[in-house]
Amino acid sequence: MFQEKGDICPIGIFDSGIGGLSVLQEINQLLPHESLIYVGDSAHAPYGDRSADYVRKRSRQIADFLIDQGVKALVIACNTATAEAASELRKTLDIPVIGMEPAIKPAAELSKSGVIGVLATQRTINSERLLGLTERYAKNKKVLAQACPGLVEQVENGDLAGKRTLTLLRRYIEPLLAQNADALILGCTHYPFLMPAIRQIAGHQIRILETGRPVARQLYRVLQQNALLNLNYQDNCRKTTDTDTDNEEPVISFYNSSNDRRHHQAMRTLWKNPQQQIKHFKP
Ligand code: DGL
């Protein structure tokens, strides 16, 4: 069983970079009373271009760091790291581990044309996890898996709708539309930040699915089942910044392995807090 960590302990969340902030936003909205620690591994992104071993090693190092911070649950806010490292982390950690799951099941349920597009990193596209989900939930659908090299870097650099970003998105999305896809799965946590640009290209008829909210709900269920919810604060509780260390109110802390100002700037912009303190994550 899981160790008793006490319900005021933080929840650890990590991604290859800043894309996992799209998941952090959903978690913070659903669980405003929880303290959260976010680690972005921007110095080593994109994971999609790395070997499976490398992704597993980085995931392990970040998980160990978060465990040292006393987290009571771990969210892998990265599809690529989930595909490569989730099962090993689940086997070896004694806290709940929640991973990402591309929205194949809901897409298969709502698609009328029977054609579903999946945008993800090459590593996720090649993963057994995606293959398994497709076999299980979308056997009688046409699933068009589109790897999207370059998109993670655009988000990491804070370019959400510039010329190159739009060119890449057109290259990846237009062939899916031409094949009559009526559901588009965002299988990478960086991509929800490109939603306005994706809409501009894909139009308003197509359904676009991402998994930040379902993951936040799953986290809620798991915390509840394991009696790990922080019940100490009620509705009027406000989350503080991590500079206020003397009180016990919920806190959100941010770490990044990169010292590049562009990454920190993009992180603050996506989190919508220009003053947000970001600490350096060294391992
Ligand atoms: N946000 C990560 C994901 O969901 C991006 C992976 C990468 O860095 O290539 O897969």
Side-chain angles (χ1 to χ4, degrees), residues 15-16 46-48 78-80 121 124 152 188-190:
D15 176 43
S16 63
Y47 280 1
C78 174
N79 288 271
T80 311
T121 66
T124 297
V152 166
C188 169
T189 55
H190 281 71

Side-chain angles (χ1 to χ4, degrees), residues 79 100-111 114-121 124-125 129-131 133-134 137-138 141-148 151 169 172-173 176-177 181-192 194-195 198-199 202 206-212 214:
N79 288 271
M100 303 302 299
E101 180 167 304
I104 298 278
K105 187 176 179 222
E109 282 165 5
L110 64 82
S111 172
V115 185
I116 298 163
V118 184
L119 303 178
T121 66
T124 297
I125 295 287
R129 188 173 170 76
L130 189 69
L131 197 73
L133 287 169
T134 306
Y137 298 117
K141 310 282 175 201
K142 190 170 172 188
V143 177
L144 306 171
Q146 175 65 60
C148 304
L151 279 189
L169 284 172
Y172 300 141
I173 294 172
L176 306 178
L177 301 177
D182 65 352
L184 193 58
I185 296 171
L186 306 188
C188 169
T189 55
H190 281 71
Y191 303 167
L194 301 172
M195 191 66 99
I198 293 172
R199 272 272 170 235
I206 195 161
R207 296 287 298 268
I208 302 176
L209 297 102
E210 47 107 0
T211 8

Side-chain angles (χ1 to χ4, degrees), residues 99-250:
M100 303 302 299
E101 180 167 304
I104 298 278
K105 187 176 179 222
E109 282 165 5
L110 64 82
S111 172
K112 292 199 169 63
S113 69
V115 185
I116 298 163
V118 184
L119 303 178
T121 66
Q122 187 68 59
R123 191 152 278 291
T124 297
I125 295 287
N126 293 348
S127 70
E128 283 182 19
R129 188 173 170 76
L130 189 69
L131 197 73
L133 287 169
T134 306
E135 295 239 311
R136 193 154 161 212
Y137 298 117
K139 232 184 160 121
N140 53 356
K141 310 282 175 201
K142 190 170 172 188
V143 177
L144 306 171
Q146 175 65 60
C148 304
L151 279 189
V152 166
E153 290 91 323
Q154 294 305 105
V155 177
E156 287 290 311
N157 292 329
D159 182 350
L160 305 183
K163 204 168 156 218
R164 178 162 163 74
T165 302
L166 288 172
T167 303
L168 287 173
L169 284 172
R170 267 194 207 97
R171 185 181 304 158
Y172 300 141
I173 294 172
E174 280 172 357
L176 306 178
L177 301 177
Q179 291 176 79
N180 207 22
D182 65 352
L184 193 58
I185 296 171
L186 306 188
C188 169
T189 55
H190 281 71
Y191 303 167
F193 291 116
L194 301 172
M195 191 66 99
I198 293 172
R199 272 272 170 235
Q200 189 183 324
I201 292 160
H204 287 271
Q205 300 304 323
I206 195 161
R207 296 287 298 268
I208 302 176
L209 297 102
E210 47 107 0
T211 8
R213 194 161 305 167
V215 164
R217 282 198 216 106
Q218 173 66 1
L219 171 65
Y220 178 87
R221 277 191 293 271
V222 170
L223 292 178
Q224 197 173 39
Q225 281 158 11
N226 291 282
L228 287 170
L229 282 169
N230 182 357
L231 304 171
N232 291 316
Y233 291 93
Q234 296 309 318
D235 290 343
N236 55 359
C237 165
R238 230 169 29 85
K239 211 163 269 194
T240 57
T241 68
D242 59 0
T243 45
D244 304 320
T245 47
D246 288 346
N247 61 54
E248 287 185 353
E249 288 185 6

Side-chain angles (χ1 to χ4, degrees), residues 43 65 254-260 264 278-283:
F65 166 77
F254 293 82
Y255 290 82
N256 201 310
S257 57
S258 165
N259 266 330
D260 189 327
H264 288 210
I278 299 165
K279 296 177 204 164
H280 191 214
F281 169 71
K282 283 206 192 74

